[in-house]
């Protein structure tokens, strides 16, 4: 079955530091890959996504590249801010052939808590 | 306009009660989902519902039942609530999630 493994947290950084959160996956077929962010006490926000190999998703200074050869989708940001403190989830959707379109059944990693200190 | 909305945002109730969580979407998608986030933040799919047909039931107890009055709504009914049902429940459409309902069973 499908699975997502992301680095264990918590991750604590100083403001303006470089961020990498590793994510690897196991899937059949050709999954789409996602990063979600959950701020304290809030819901899940889609941060970025990539739908095929070598695609790069980007948003709010965050980037992740779909690497099929290494089955990875690592999240990076060049300079984090205090406001980036949140839990980050890597996820994949199983896009089965013949599903008649999109299949967004999402499999999530366990989440990585990021704390950015001033 | 919010793409996926849920009510209530918070739900506190006693063991044994029956409760419902409502979800509405304006994206026009056929398939809606319910996910559960436990106390360790782990997210797992519960149901997928497409045109009044249940597609997935990931080993969820039959005390939980999705009900869809129309294409834009997928409500989650929970009977005989137990302490272990305390969690955050998210409705989703495609890759978009509702704000979540924080359920606490006392």
């Amino acid at each position: 079955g499908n699975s997502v493994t992301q680095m264990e947290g918590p991750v604590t950084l100083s403001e303006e530091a470089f961020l990498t959160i590793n994510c690897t996956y196991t899937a059949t077929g050709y999954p789409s890959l996602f990063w979600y962010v959950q701020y304290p006490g809030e819901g899940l926000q889609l941060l970025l996504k990539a739908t095929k190999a070598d695609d790069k998703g980007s948003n709010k200074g965050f980037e992740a590249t779909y690497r099929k050869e290494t089955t990875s989708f690592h999240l990076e940001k060049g300079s984090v801010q205090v406001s980036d403190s949140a839990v980050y989830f890597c996820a994949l959707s199983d896009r089965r052939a013949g599903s008649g379109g999109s299949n967004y059944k999402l499999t999530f990693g366990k989440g990585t808590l990021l704390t950015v200190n001033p | 306009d919010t793409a996926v909305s849920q009510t209530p945002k918070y739900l506190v109730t006693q063991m044994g009660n029956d409760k419902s969580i409502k979800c509405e979407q304006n994206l026009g998608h056929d398939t809606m989902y319910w996910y559960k986030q436990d106390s360790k933040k782990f997210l797992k799919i519960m149901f997928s519902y497409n045109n009044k047909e249940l597609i997935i039931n990931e080993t969820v107890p039959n005390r939980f039942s999705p009900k869809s009055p129309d294409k834009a709504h997928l409500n989650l009914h929970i009977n005989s609530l137990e302490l272990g049902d305390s969690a955050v429940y998210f409705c989703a459409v495609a890759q978009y999630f509702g704000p979540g309902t924080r359920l606490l069973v006392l």
Side-chain angles (χ1 to χ4, degrees):
Chain A
N2 297 335
S3 67
V4 175
T5 303
Q6 59 183 105
M7 63 188 288
E8 297 271 343
V11 174
T12 303
L13 296 173
S14 297
E15 206 164 24
E16 299 183 2
F18 185 86
L19 169 71
T20 299
I21 301 178
N22 290 337
C23 172
T24 57
Y25 67 90
T26 302
T28 55
Y30 303 95
S32 292
L33 302 173
F34 305 84
W35 276 101
Y36 285 85
V37 58
Q38 186 174 30
Y39 298 103
E42 297 189 10
L44 285 165
Q45 296 180 25
L46 177 64
L47 182 59
L48 53 84
K49 69 176 183 180
T51 58
K52 61 183 187 295
D54 299 325
D55 268 2
K56 177 186 282 188
S58 61
N59 185 24
K60 299 181 181 180
F62 292 89
E63 293 183 340
T65 300
Y66 190 143
R67 301 286 189 202
K68 189 177 179 182
E69 63 275 14
T70 54
T71 61
S72 64
F73 194 55
H74 304 321
L75 182 68
E76 296 182 337
K77 186 175 185 182
S79 176
V80 293
Q81 305 299 312
V82 173
S83 57
D84 293 327
S85 298
V87 180
Y88 291 82
F89 294 93
C90 185
L92 68 83
S93 73
D94 182 7
R95 302 174 68 88
R96 295 192 184 92
S99 65
S102 300
N103 178 347
Y104 284 99
K105 175 192 171 186
L106 290 167
T107 300
F108 284 87
K110 292 186 176 180
T112 302
L113 173 63
L114 169 66
T115 301
V116 180
N117 295 319
Chain B
D1 283 345
T2 303
V4 185
S5 59
Q6 288 179 234
T7 55
K9 186 172 183 179
Y10 299 97
L11 184 54
V12 181
T13 188
Q14 300 289 328
M15 274 176 47
N17 285 350
D18 302 337
K19 290 293 178 184
S20 294
I21 304 171
K22 296 184 177 180
C23 177
E24 179 178 1
Q25 59 117 345
N26 62 8
L27 295 171
H29 284 247
D30 289 337
T31 306
M32 298 176 71
Y33 303 84
W34 279 103
Y35 290 81
K36 179 180 180 180
Q37 185 176 41
D38 64 21
S39 59
K40 295 184 178 180
K41 299 287 189 182
F42 189 60
L43 282 150
K44 190 172 182 182
I45 191 167
M46 299 174 68
F47 299 105
S48 168
Y49 206 86
N50 184 339
N51 291 328
K52 297 190 180 298
E53 180 184 3
L54 182 66
I55 298 175
I56 302 170
N57 181 339
E58 299 286 329
T59 64
V60 174
N62 57 15
R63 298 182 295 103
F64 290 77
S65 58
K67 297 191 190 305
S68 181
D70 55 59
K71 184 177 171 180
H73 296 84
L74 181 64
N75 303 326
L76 181 64
H77 295 268
I78 315 170
N79 295 326
S80 303
L81 277 156
E82 300 178 356
L83 293 177
D85 297 332
S86 297
V88 182
Y89 294 86
F90 288 100
C91 178
V93 176
Q95 68 265 45
Y96 303 106
F97 282 72
T101 296
R102 285 145 186 84
L103 171 64
L104 178 60
V105 182
L106 302 175

